[in-house]
Amino acid sequence: MIVLSTFHSPALHKFSRNIVSQSKRFLSSAEIIARQSKLFSAEQKRQYENLGRIEKIEVNYIGVPENTALVMNKNLSTPYNCAQHLGETHCQRSALALLDGTIPWDMHRPLPNSCTLELLNFTVEDPRHVNKAFWRTCSFMLGAALTTAFKESAKLNLHSFPTPSVRSGSFVYDFSIAAPDFKPTKQEMRAFSAEMIKLAAKDLKIERLDVSHDVALEIFEYNPFKREQLPSISNQNDGVVTLYRAGDHIDISRGPMVATTRHLGKCTIAAIHKLECPDMEGVNMYRAQGVALPLGLHLNHFAFGVLEERARKLNNARLPNEQFAEEPEKESKKALL
């Protein structure tokens, strides 16, 4: 059974899913995505308008070409805005910020206080923070690719992705579809990979927004998995749920993520495995797995092939029916490869 829109127009149009209760009006995948993005924008605007009087903070940039003190706006200016003062190269290369030497921070997330600021790229001496953010972003983008690759009839429903771990060999997204025994063809697997590359080519800014539990419930009204996860997530974070958006795609993650989809370079979606989740009776749950390199990092064909082969093995990260939370991971100073 072909469930991917592989044989349609050159762009795999938005053929996704929608699982809604009988009491709700049916919305197409495109309508659900547009609705979520509209609600995200409305809440973003509301928070901006409630900032009140803008205070100044001092951001002490540490790095090349020289250390610099910048006067920025509290709860409004972002590390990316700081990079704009430093030059176009910093804007293009910086994937993540590091505050006060210890706190990884999204490039487009407002700065709450005076701080020191380092801008991280993928060639820094200690890549652990940027590697983890990149792997997390790949999972986030994989969720977006799944929603655009499947036909409406597949009834795809995004579940979640586990804690990013470069050492696991693959980034992951778990999802359900109507097909009880989906086995994608090679052509369909290439279509998934192509969707990831298309997202990278769009150079979409990755935005973060902290929202209340009630706002998150409204945004994910048509996704029963996300709604089921929200109480646990908000309880762990004093009623706050952290959302990310790229284009119109929105998902839940504690972050941080890299600045833009453009940071994704070579990418392969290597496998889709059927998962056995005894506590989720009647749900056909699958795990999509991939491997990628940041833009600008290169491997020869043979070496990347080894990584692809490793990414085909079932990733043993927690199952979807286990607690939805990113558990603390022992940091490694090893490079991406």
Side-chain angles (χ1 to χ4, degrees), residues 4-178:
L4 284 168
S5 53
T6 307
F7 304 107
H8 290 254
S9 61
L12 296 179
H13 296 298
K14 293 182 178 180
F15 296 117
S16 179
R17 63 80 191 95
N18 184 25
I19 297 177
V20 294
S21 67
Q22 294 296 321
S23 63
K24 296 178 182 177
R25 183 179 72 84
F26 176 83
L27 295 182
S28 68
S29 299
E31 288 175 318
I32 291 171
I33 291 169
R35 177 184 180 276
Q36 289 179 328
S37 188
K38 184 177 179 180
L39 289 170
F40 186 102
S41 293
E43 176 62 15
Q44 194 177 51
K45 180 181 179 182
R46 186 195 69 80
Q47 292 185 21
Y48 175 80
E49 291 175 344
N50 287 342
L51 281 176
R53 179 175 174 271
I54 303 300
E55 301 178 24
K56 296 297 181 181
I57 57 174
E58 183 174 300
V59 178
N60 290 293
Y61 167 72
I62 301 173
V64 296
E66 61 182 1
N67 296 350
T68 305
L70 302 169
V71 177
M72 308 300 289
N73 295 319
K74 182 175 182 176
N75 294 323
L76 186 61
S77 299
T78 67
Y80 185 82
N81 296 140
C82 296
Q84 289 176 312
H85 287 286
L86 299 169
E88 184 63 23
T89 299
H90 289 85
C91 295
Q92 292 294 320
R93 297 188 66 211
S94 300
L96 191 70
L98 191 66
L99 306 190
D100 295 330
T102 60
I103 306 171
W105 199 264
D106 300 272
M107 288 294 295
H108 299 292
R109 183 182 180 186
L111 297 165
N113 296 296
S114 296
C115 60
T116 64
L117 171 70
E118 298 170 63
L119 299 176
L120 306 182
N121 56 54
F122 294 102
T123 60
V124 292
E125 183 178 352
D126 180 0
R128 53 182 171 151
H129 291 306
V130 72
N131 281 352
K132 193 171 181 179
F134 176 70
W135 221 234
R136 180 184 287 111
T137 305
C138 287
S139 288
F140 170 72
M141 291 175 63
L142 177 53
L146 291 169
T147 63
T148 56
F150 278 100
K151 289 183 179 180
E152 195 84 40
S153 59
K155 293 184 170 64
L156 179 137
N157 219 22
L158 295 180
H159 189 281
S160 60
F161 55 93
T163 301
S165 175
V166 176
R167 291 171 292 170
S168 72
S170 58
F171 57 84
V172 171
Y173 207 108
D174 296 332
F175 64 96
S176 73
I177 53 175

